[in-house]
């Protein structure tokens, strides 16, 4: 009982929501982000200095004892390209 | 002097990094996320119950007095489609 209450996630027993953020590595150029920054300037947002665009995944796990570790494995295998991207994991 | 130290962002005077997360509204179907969830199962990640994919923007502002408010304006105008998406703003 105690365990589920600690998790505090609605929807079932042993559920956990993990957020995986995937961004291009800082040394990799981001033409999409550059295009958005240019559009910002055209729209009058003169204070925008740079934009970088990445991906955000919300993954719901059911019955995993260590969902963060599983999410890291998943990010390495499927969600991120480790050659050009880096990722971070946190509870959602 | 004090102000720049409080901001704690390297690279210039009055710089601020804001993260804008854009996700499909919960009631909108996410076929991309569903395809990823199916791929997870094929790869042996049986504990994955659902995946939703969104976008993450890292926006650097220079010389804005209220960069969070500016980022919210930018998200409404350019980064998110308010018909099907919702966004959240935070310091990066």
């Amino acid at each position: 009982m105690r365990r589920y209450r600690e998790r505090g996630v609605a929807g079932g027993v042993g559920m956990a929501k993990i957020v995986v953020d995937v961004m291009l590595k800082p040394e990799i150029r981001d033409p999409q982000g550059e295009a958005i920054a240019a559009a910002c300037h055209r729209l009058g947002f003169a204070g925008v200095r740079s934009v970088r665009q990445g991906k955000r995944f919300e993954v719901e796990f059911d019955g995993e004892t260590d969902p963060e570790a599983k999410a890291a494995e998943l990010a390495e295998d499927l969600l991120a390209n480790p050659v050009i991207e880096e990722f971070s994991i946190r509870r959602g």
Side-chain angles (χ1 to χ4, degrees), chain A:
Chain A
M1 270 304 255
R2 204 160 151 266
R3 200 173 138 231
Y4 308 146
R5 246 185 274 141
E6 274 170 4
R7 291 264 174 101
V9 182
V13 168
M15 294 274 292
K17 189 161 122 187
I18 306 291
V19 175
V20 182
D21 287 321
V22 177
M23 298 297 293
L24 285 169
K25 289 180 181 175
E27 65 268 26
I28 307 286
R29 257 194 67 201
D30 178 5
Q32 202 170 2
E34 288 166 18
I36 294 168
C40 291
H41 297 153
R42 280 198 305 276
L43 284 170
F45 293 93
V48 172
R49 192 187 165 109
S50 76
V51 178
R52 292 188 67 85
Q53 177 169 358
K55 285 170 279 184
R56 177 190 154 101
F57 300 94
E58 294 181 356
V59 186
E60 273 189 328
F61 287 98
D62 201 355
E64 289 286 350
T65 48
D66 190 349
E68 280 96 337
K70 211 70 186 173
E73 213 182 303
L74 190 62
E76 271 164 29
D77 284 8
L78 184 69
L79 303 179
N81 175 354
V83 178
I84 56 166
E85 292 173 326
E86 58 191 13
F87 63 86
S88 69
I89 307 278
R90 66 177 192 279
R91 287 259 167 179

